[in-house]
Amino acid sequence: MARIVMKFGGTSMAGTERIRRVAQIVKAQADHGDEVAVVVSAMAGDTDRLVNFCREANALYDPAEYDVVVASGEQVTSGLLAMTLQALGCKARSWMGWQMPIHTDSAYAKARIGDIDGEALGASMARGEIAVIPGFQGLSPDNRITTLGRGGSDTSAVAVAAAVKADRCDIYTDVDGVYTTDPRIVARARKLKAVTYEEMLELASVGAKVLQTRSVGLALKENVRVQVLSSFTEEGAPDANTIPGTLIVSDEELENLNVERQLITGIAHDKNEAKVILTRVPDRPGAVASIFEPLAEANINVDMIIQNVGRDKGETDVTFTCPMADLARCTEILENAREKIGFNRIITDTKIAKISVVGVGMKSHAGVASNMFSALADRKINIQAITTSEIKVSVIIDEDETELAVRVLHTAYGLDAE
Amino acid sequence: MARIVMKFGGTSMAGTERIRRVAQIVKAQADHGDEVAVVVSAMAGDTDRLVNFCREANALYDPAEYDVVVASGEQVTSGLLAMTLQALGCKARSWMGWQMPIHTDSAYAKARIGDIDGEALGASMARGEIAVIPGFQGLSPDNRITTLGRGGSDTSAVAVAAAVKADRCDIYTDVDGVYTTDPRIVARARKLKAVTYEEMLELASVGAKVLQTRSVGLALKENVRVQVLSSFTEEGAPDANTIPGTLIVSDEELENLNVERQLITGIAHDKNEAKVILTRVPDRPGAVASIFEPLAEANINVDMIIQNVGRDKGETDVTFTCPMADLARCTEILENAREKIGFNRIITDTKIAKISVVGVGMKSHAGVASNMFSALADRKINIQAITTSEIKVSVIIDEDETELAVRVLHTAYGLDAE
């Protein structure tokens, strides 16, 4: 017997027919003798419908009232799944975010989960009741409904798993696991049996959109074993020891799992970054700070930063990347600070891609970065910028060369399936 | 300054455009300096959509989960109205049923309101915040969502008005008040300035579907002044002393209002009753009880009962009426009890109508019933059954004669507008 938290997304919950399929998967898990909680998203499209109502009602809507409106989508699917499970003969009941409660902070529309009181929930599960929990929602210190931001249901599932000390949190999605790279680009991409939290964070934050980044961070912090697997296979529910998807676990557990390790775990790509160049910035103390302080205040996430010596002495060019969605805001802020910073021109480029090689193995192996540069150079792919972390090397290249670069690196690091 | 609870139904809340119109009416009320709470229904059609989901999910759905699903409709409109009021510059916030809370019993899907803690709500209103409250929903002793049954939002509004000691509860609807009779039948029907709770109960329960009967009963019990008025007029919001609709008040207050009183307040008709005749029932003690006990147990609301002496001595025919919707269940129950009751045949008739004259004035005036009978007899309308209360006389007639009977009585009691 194990205690399992299962999470199903909006595509799986889109309509009563699909909810019945979900209920069958959940029932199969419970029929193994496992204690089960299920976290659900709203029906696909429903949250968009509700968000549009809010925008029509008030372009500058109060996020607290927005949360009242949009949290209703998950309320509906949780009630429907509970009654569908009952129709299949299971004991089941729904638990709203305010009922457990799932405590969050007061940052309405983008709240962060704090404590979850898992006691009543755990007792209910121990009595053999399947707990059905709306994802994405919680309760503020002011006793009002909060939501966690789009995609927050993954985070809800991990938080619930931590609260009830679940043996595993299974995230059912429309892919059957985490791959060495995007299978639409590399046909010989392989499904990974397991990755570490840190690898998953790097893979997720650079474009492998299987799991919400925040949920992986929470799993790391709370040490929750997460599995990504498909809700559309016909295999039926796994027992606690079968892992049909990809496990996301700690470094130590990965060692114990006895899976074959590669130096590099995966290759990620991300076309959603833009490059910004400020030319002829005065080369004096505080100049660079005057660029990035206002951007940080505006919550714009600057990634890579490069400082080149300019043509004239006493001046440099400063290059950095930021999310494409923030580019307009970013240039507006810089224009407003033109006098203070003292640059000449702003040059922007959205036709770039970030390619990353990720793997905990590189902690103990030198040469990963230089292998990457030479593999790309062999195919005449020009590198515009480089950034590295303990388990990742990323480069910026021309967007048109994205697929070529991913394939070259996938082969170079020996990741191609046989 | 007055404290006003306003209630808007599903037609008024159907879409963000209409919600904006509602917000304007509410703002006008607040701009008079009144403290305002608003109770809202779900968007027209939304509750039906959610009920259908439940039926698809589980034909024998758990009413507690049904309540989780269907209560979401009012949650959406209350959040949207709050943010729309904010867009108009008003201070406003939503209060879910579980937040105040509105305590109910545990009869999920048909809960009855118990206590409402009006303290936090009243304090918020006193600070100048418009409180927006989803109708139809409450909180069970088990800390779960309940709903009050279809049309329950009127009852929510009256209950909230009682809890915050409101000066008046304004029910905005698609008619502009209570009329002496259905204006679609009698063009010269007059809008009433005021009726008593008891009259409204009789008018509502016999087919004048302006207000949910239960809400009027609660208003009577809690002595809440209710006004019915239209949300579709262009007159703008009334101040506390202007009564554009119909007031529903106590007998004593009606005296003080100094409105012109008629002997008869209104004529109601109801085509939703069916007549049942059991022939040749043994005329012995306990025989009639054996008919009505099983019907009462099945919650079938029997209205008029008549016992005729049959052709043979020692036998009688028993006639009664019940709601058309319960007729099939009613005959099934009687067939199952045939041996115990000992009747000969069941004859049913759905082509009947109940016509009622209602008025507190008849308490102190004899002759109302005989005037009714002779007015109908003059037009050769045959009376099949009669029932009376302190303030009402009802007769059963052939359904085809409904309109004629209503017009004849409306004129006979001097109710026609000049």
Side-chain angles (χ1 to χ4, degrees):
Chain A
M1 193 215 70
R3 181 170 273 192
I4 309 282
V5 173
M6 309 169 80
K7 185 259 168 181
F8 293 88
T11 314
S12 302
M13 300 300 289
T16 48
E17 266 313 303
R18 293 198 183 177
I19 290 175
R20 196 170 308 273
R21 170 82 187 116
V22 166
Q24 283 158 350
I25 298 174
V26 173
K27 180 182 192 304
Q29 189 82 55
D31 286 350
H32 276 124
D34 294 330
E35 292 176 5
V36 178
V38 195
V39 175
V40 296
S41 298
M43 294 189 192
D46 208 29
T47 304
D48 287 336
R49 179 178 69 89
L50 295 166
V51 170
N52 281 337
F53 278 146
C54 293
R55 289 187 179 143
E56 288 170 20
N58 187 340
L60 301 166
Y61 51 70
D62 176 0
E65 299 299 345
Y66 166 93
D67 285 353
V68 168
V69 175
V70 300
S72 68
E74 281 76 10
Q75 179 170 328
V76 168
T77 48
S78 57
L80 290 176
L81 179 56
M83 60 176 72
T84 307
L85 284 165
Q86 291 169 349
L88 299 181
C90 302
K91 284 198 286 182
R93 71 154 279 192
S94 62
W95 295 79
M96 299 302 102
W98 54 267
Q99 280 171 332
M100 292 201 264
I102 296 180
H103 292 292
T104 71
D105 59 19
S106 293
Y108 295 100
K110 50 180 182 184
R112 300 190 77 89
I113 294 178
D115 278 349
I116 297 182
D117 187 343
E119 198 171 324
L121 192 67
S124 165
M125 291 170 72
R127 285 194 300 271
E129 285 174 0
I130 298 172
V132 185
I133 299 154
F136 178 57
Q137 62 176 239
L139 185 70
S140 78
D142 296 329
N143 200 40
R144 301 193 67 183
I145 296 171
T146 53
T147 68
L148 309 182
R150 296 302 291 266
S153 293
D154 289 346
T155 307
S156 300
V158 171
V160 168
V164 300
K165 298 183 176 52
D167 296 286
R168 208 176 62 232
C169 179
D170 284 350
I171 310 278
Y172 284 80
T173 174
D174 50 1
V175 297
D176 62 353
V178 180
Y179 278 72
T180 48
T181 195
D182 186 341
R184 288 167 302 182
I185 295 178
V186 180
R188 295 171 75 185
R190 285 184 295 111
K191 193 174 77 181
L192 294 159
K193 282 215 174 306
V195 295
T196 67
Y197 299 121
E198 291 84 356
E199 288 172 328
M200 192 63 201
L201 278 172
E202 295 292 2
L203 290 169
S205 68
V206 292
K209 294 196 176 54
V210 178
L211 277 184
Q212 208 207 10
T213 306
R214 231 205 295 175
S215 69
V216 184
L218 185 63
L220 164 65
K221 175 166 165 271
E222 300 283 351
N223 202 23
V224 174
R225 301 171 77 225
V226 174
Q227 182 183 199
V228 171
L229 70 178
S230 169
S231 52
F232 296 101
T233 53
E234 292 299 316
E235 293 164 30
D239 67 35
N241 300 315
T242 315
I243 303 297
T246 300
L247 266 188
I248 303 158
V249 293
S250 68
D251 218 350
E252 299 74 46
E253 188 169 348
L254 195 65
E255 299 288 344
N256 298 334
L257 277 175
N258 201 23
V259 293
E260 194 196 348
R261 303 291 298 270
Q262 305 272 354
L263 179 62
I264 294 302
T265 302
I267 316 289
H269 68 282
D270 181 6
K271 296 181 176 178
N272 292 312
E273 293 272 310
K275 189 172 71 173
V276 179
I277 306 173
L278 293 187
T279 65
R280 303 181 63 181
V281 177
D283 190 10
R284 54 172 165 71
V288 172
S290 68
I291 297 172
F292 295 108
E293 268 171 14
L295 298 180
E297 276 164 25
N299 253 324
I300 294 173
N301 201 5
V302 170
D303 185 12
M304 300 172 164
I305 301 173
I306 303 146
Q307 196 170 347
N308 299 70
V309 176
R311 280 158 296 180
D312 297 322
K313 280 199 176 155
E315 290 179 345
T316 69
D317 289 355
V318 175
T319 304
F320 63 88
T321 63
C322 72
M324 195 108 74
D326 291 332
L327 182 59
R329 251 180 352 120
C330 177
T331 54
E332 190 191 343
I333 288 166
L334 292 173
E335 283 294 356
N336 291 340
R338 175 186 282 271
E339 272 187 44
K340 192 170 175 208
I341 304 171
F343 59 87
N344 181 30
R345 286 177 61 202
I346 302 180
I347 301 166
T348 63
D349 183 1
T350 58
K351 281 209 62 199
I352 60 164
K354 181 158 71 176
I355 311 293
S356 305
V357 299
V358 174
V360 284
M362 72 174 75
K363 279 186 189 174
S364 48
H365 282 77
V368 169
S370 61
N371 285 349
M372 184 182 190
F373 305 151
S374 59
L376 294 174
D378 283 351
R379 301 302 293 258
K380 306 274 186 289
I381 296 170
N382 188 39
I383 296 172
Q384 302 177 23
I386 301 166
T387 183
T388 64
S389 78
E390 269 208 311
I391 63 164
K392 181 187 75 167
V393 182
S394 300
V395 297
I396 294 292
I397 61 170
D398 187 304
E399 190 185 77
D400 289 343
E401 296 173 318
T402 306
E403 290 77 10
L404 176 62
V406 169
R407 287 182 197 121
V408 164
L409 294 172
H410 200 265
T411 304
Y413 288 106
L415 296 175
D416 294 349
E418 277 137 37
Chain B
M1 194 214 68
R3 182 170 271 193
I4 309 281
V5 173
M6 309 169 80
K7 185 260 168 180
F8 293 88
T11 313
S12 302
M13 300 301 289
T16 48
E17 265 313 304
R18 292 197 185 178
I19 290 175
R20 195 170 308 273
R21 170 83 187 115
V22 166
Q24 283 158 351
I25 297 175
V26 173
K27 179 181 193 302
Q29 189 82 55
D31 286 349
H32 275 124
D34 294 330
E35 292 177 5
V36 178
V38 195
V39 175
V40 296
S41 298
M43 293 189 193
D46 209 30
T47 304
D48 287 337
R49 180 178 69 90
L50 295 165
V51 170
N52 281 337
F53 278 145
C54 293
R55 289 187 178 141
E56 287 170 21
N58 187 340
L60 301 166
Y61 51 71
D62 176 0
E65 299 300 345
Y66 166 92
D67 285 352
V68 168
V69 175
V70 299
S72 68
E74 282 76 10
Q75 179 170 327
V76 169
T77 47
S78 57
L80 290 176
L81 179 57
M83 61 176 72
T84 306
L85 284 165
Q86 292 169 349
L88 299 181
C90 301
K91 285 198 286 181
R93 71 155 280 192
S94 63
W95 294 80
M96 300 300 102
W98 54 267
Q99 279 171 332
M100 291 201 264
I102 296 180
H103 293 292
T104 72
D105 59 19
S106 292
Y108 295 100
K110 51 179 181 185
R112 298 191 79 89
I113 293 179
D115 277 351
I116 296 182
D117 187 343
E119 198 172 324
L121 192 67
S124 164
M125 290 170 73
R127 285 195 300 272
E129 284 174 1
I130 298 171
V132 185
I133 299 154
F136 178 59
Q137 62 176 240
L139 184 70
S140 78
D142 296 329
N143 200 39
R144 300 193 68 184
I145 296 171
T146 53
T147 67
L148 309 181
R150 296 303 291 266
S153 292
D154 289 346
T155 308
S156 300
V158 171
V160 167
V164 299
K165 299 184 175 51
D167 296 287
R168 207 176 62 232
C169 179
D170 284 350
I171 309 278
Y172 285 80
T173 175
D174 50 2
V175 297
D176 61 354
V178 180
Y179 277 74
T180 49
T181 195
D182 185 341
R184 288 167 302 184
I185 295 179
V186 180
R188 295 172 73 185
R190 285 185 296 111
K191 193 174 76 181
L192 293 159
K193 283 215 174 305
V195 295
T196 67
Y197 300 121
E198 292 83 357
E199 287 172 328
M200 192 65 202
L201 278 171
E202 296 292 2
L203 290 168
S205 68
V206 292
K209 293 195 177 55
V210 178
L211 277 184
Q212 208 207 9
T213 307
R214 230 205 296 173
S215 69
V216 183
L218 185 62
L220 164 65
K221 176 166 163 271
E222 300 283 351
N223 203 23
V224 174
R225 300 171 78 225
V226 174
Q227 182 183 201
V228 172
L229 70 176
S230 169
S231 51
F232 295 102
T233 52
E234 292 299 319
E235 294 165 30
D239 66 37
N241 300 314
T242 315
I243 302 297
T246 300
L247 265 189
I248 303 158
V249 293
S250 68
D251 218 350
E252 299 74 46
E253 188 169 347
L254 196 65
E255 299 287 345
N256 298 334
L257 277 174
N258 201 23
V259 293
E260 194 195 349
R261 303 289 299 269
Q262 305 271 355
L263 180 62
I264 294 303
T265 303
I267 317 287
H269 68 283
D270 181 7
K271 296 181 177 179
N272 292 312
E273 293 272 310
K275 188 172 72 172
V276 179
I277 305 172
L278 294 186
T279 66
R280 303 181 64 181
V281 178
D283 190 10
R284 55 173 164 69
V288 172
S290 68
I291 297 172
F292 295 108
E293 267 170 16
L295 297 179
E297 274 164 26
N299 254 324
I300 294 173
N301 201 5
V302 170
D303 186 13
M304 299 173 166
I305 301 174
I306 303 145
Q307 195 169 347
N308 300 68
V309 177
R311 281 157 297 183
D312 298 322
K313 280 200 174 151
E315 289 179 344
T316 69
D317 289 353
V318 174
T319 303
F320 62 90
T321 62
C322 73
M324 196 107 75
D326 291 332
L327 183 59
R329 257 183 345 125
C330 176
T331 55
E332 190 191 343
I333 288 166
L334 292 174
E335 283 293 355
N336 291 340
R338 176 186 281 272
E339 272 187 44
K340 191 169 175 210
I341 304 171
F343 60 87
N344 180 30
R345 289 175 60 202
I346 302 181
I347 301 165
T348 63
D349 183 1
T350 58
K351 282 211 61 202
I352 60 162
K354 181 158 72 174
I355 311 292
S356 305
V357 299
V358 175
V360 283
M362 73 174 74
K363 279 186 187 175
S364 50
H365 282 77
V368 169
S370 62
N371 284 350
M372 184 182 191
F373 306 152
S374 60
L376 294 174
D378 284 350
R379 300 302 290 256
K380 306 273 185 290
I381 296 171
N382 188 39
I383 295 172
Q384 303 177 23
I386 300 165
T387 184
T388 64
S389 77
E390 269 209 312
I391 62 164
K392 180 187 74 165
V393 182
S394 300
V395 297
I396 295 292
I397 61 170
D398 187 304
E399 190 186 78
D400 290 341
E401 295 173 319
T402 306
E403 290 77 11
L404 176 63
V406 169
R407 286 183 198 121
V408 164
L409 295 172
H410 201 265
T411 303
Y413 288 106
L415 296 174
D416 293 350
E418 277 137 39

